[in-house]
């Protein structure tokens, strides 16, 4: 995908390019995935813990990943989704199975614009690979929010409030939330809060890339 080499095997990225990807390997807070020394819970999570219990991110949201995730076409997406799901299952710790894998839902309006939801494709492949149930119907996005990249975190969190609806009963369940990019974590926080109100006891975020402030 990134060069002319044809030796990627099952992956869409060749071994050389894979080495050069912006892997998220620095010491990070286990709860939110942001940089933190000795993998300790960060001050922000201690002060106001997010609704999810842990975050795993493959990459930092930097070049060429940002371009890869932004400029894909449907055909390419399936290829990228396969690569990312393989790398996620190979890299993320998995001590106990999940009862449900829930992809970040898109608002129907956004879905109509894009034609597909990349997080659903990744979640579907993770579910197949890990043999854990995919549930892409339990949660829906009921609030349309314009892109909020430029807004401060507090405003984003406020804007996201009440954005999701969950139809299922998730009593005591371990839930994996799947998203392509985690920026501030405001949407994952709100989705996690929604599945926890539906009864989930443990919620993990599995994301392809995490935006890390420099
Ligand atoms: Zn390459
Ligand atoms: Zn944290």
């Amino acid at each position: 995908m990134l060069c002319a080499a044809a030796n990627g095997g099952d992956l869409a990225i060749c071994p050389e390019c894979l080495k050069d990807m912006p892997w998220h390997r620095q010491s990070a807070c286990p709860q939110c995935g942001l940089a933190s020394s000795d993998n300790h819970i960060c001050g922000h999570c201690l002060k106001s813990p997010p609704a999810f219990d842990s975050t795993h991110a493959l990459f930092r949201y930097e070049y060429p990943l940002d371009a890869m995730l932004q400029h894909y076409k449907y055909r390419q997406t399936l290829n990228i989704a396969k690569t990312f799901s393989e790398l996620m299952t190979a890299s993320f710790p998995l001590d106990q199975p999940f009862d449900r894998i829930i992809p970040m839902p898109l608002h129907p309006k956004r879905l109509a614009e894009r034609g597909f939801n990349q997080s659903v494709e990744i979640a579907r492949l993770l579910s197949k690979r890990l043999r854990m149930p995919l549930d892409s119907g339990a949660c829906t996005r009921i609030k349309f929010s314009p892109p909020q990249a430029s807004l401060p975190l507090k405003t984003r969190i406020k804007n996201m409030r009440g954005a999701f609806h969950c139809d299922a009963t998730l009593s005591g369940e371990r839930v994996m939330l799947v998203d392509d990019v985690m920026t501030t974590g405001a949407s994952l926080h709100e989705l996690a809060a929604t599945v926890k109100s539906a009864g989930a006891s443990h919620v993990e975020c599995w994301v392809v890339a995490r935006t890390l402030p420099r």
Side-chain angles (χ1 to χ4, degrees):
M1 187 171 288
L2 296 170
C3 71
N7 61 346
D10 273 351
L11 301 180
I13 308 168
C14 83
E16 283 306 307
C17 291
L18 207 53
K19 258 191 256 162
D20 290 341
M21 292 287 284
W23 293 93
H24 183 19
R25 287 204 173 115
Q26 61 267 63
S27 172
C29 167
Q31 193 160 4
C32 71
L34 291 180
S36 168
S37 56
D38 296 326
N39 298 307
H40 283 148
I41 298 240
C42 73
H44 184 77
C45 288
L46 282 176
K47 213 171 100 194
S48 50
F52 42 79
D53 299 282
S54 67
T55 297
H56 302 296
L58 272 183
F59 303 111
R60 303 186 301 273
Y61 190 54
E62 290 169 9
Y63 185 83
L65 203 78
D66 46 0
M68 286 169 77
L69 287 172
Q70 273 165 25
H71 303 293
Y72 50 78
K73 300 267 188 296
Y74 184 65
R75 190 179 286 274
Q76 257 189 340
T77 294
L78 297 178
N79 208 356
I80 297 187
K82 176 136 197 308
T83 301
F84 290 155
S85 64
E86 291 294 320
L87 295 172
M88 284 160 110
T89 47
S91 317
F92 295 167
L94 183 65
D95 29 338
Q96 280 179 66
F98 290 93
D99 299 295
R100 235 176 262 249
I101 300 181
I102 298 180
M104 173 61 71
L106 284 180
H107 189 275
K109 222 161 121 185
R110 183 89 66 213
L111 187 61
E113 265 167 34
R114 281 212 212 152
F116 63 98
N117 179 346
Q118 169 145 282
S119 302
V120 170
E121 300 309 327
I122 298 168
R124 192 194 315 272
L125 292 160
L126 284 172
S127 147
K128 237 168 118 179
R129 187 79 160 65
L130 300 169
R131 295 169 200 259
M132 296 171 199
L134 170 76
D135 191 343
S136 49
C139 295
T140 44
R141 196 162 193 139
I142 49 175
K143 203 164 138 186
F144 185 79
S145 36
Q148 10 183 28
S150 55
L151 301 176
L153 178 60
K154 268 197 179 150
T155 318
R156 285 180 176 222
I157 289 178
K158 209 174 122 218
N159 286 353
M160 286 308 295
R161 214 162 282 157
F164 302 104
H165 173 76
C166 181
D167 259 338
T169 309
L170 312 172
S171 312
E173 290 194 7
R174 290 171 49 82
V175 174
M176 178 204 294
L177 302 180
V178 177
D179 205 353
D180 49 3
V181 185
M182 180 173 188
T183 309
T184 58
S187 352
L188 280 160
H189 163 72
E190 183 62 26
L191 184 59
T194 307
V195 301
K196 282 209 167 158
S197 329
S201 60
H202 180 86
V203 178
E204 279 187 25
C205 306
W206 282 37
V207 302
V208 175
R210 179 79 169 97
T211 302
L212 297 181
R214 291 173 178 250

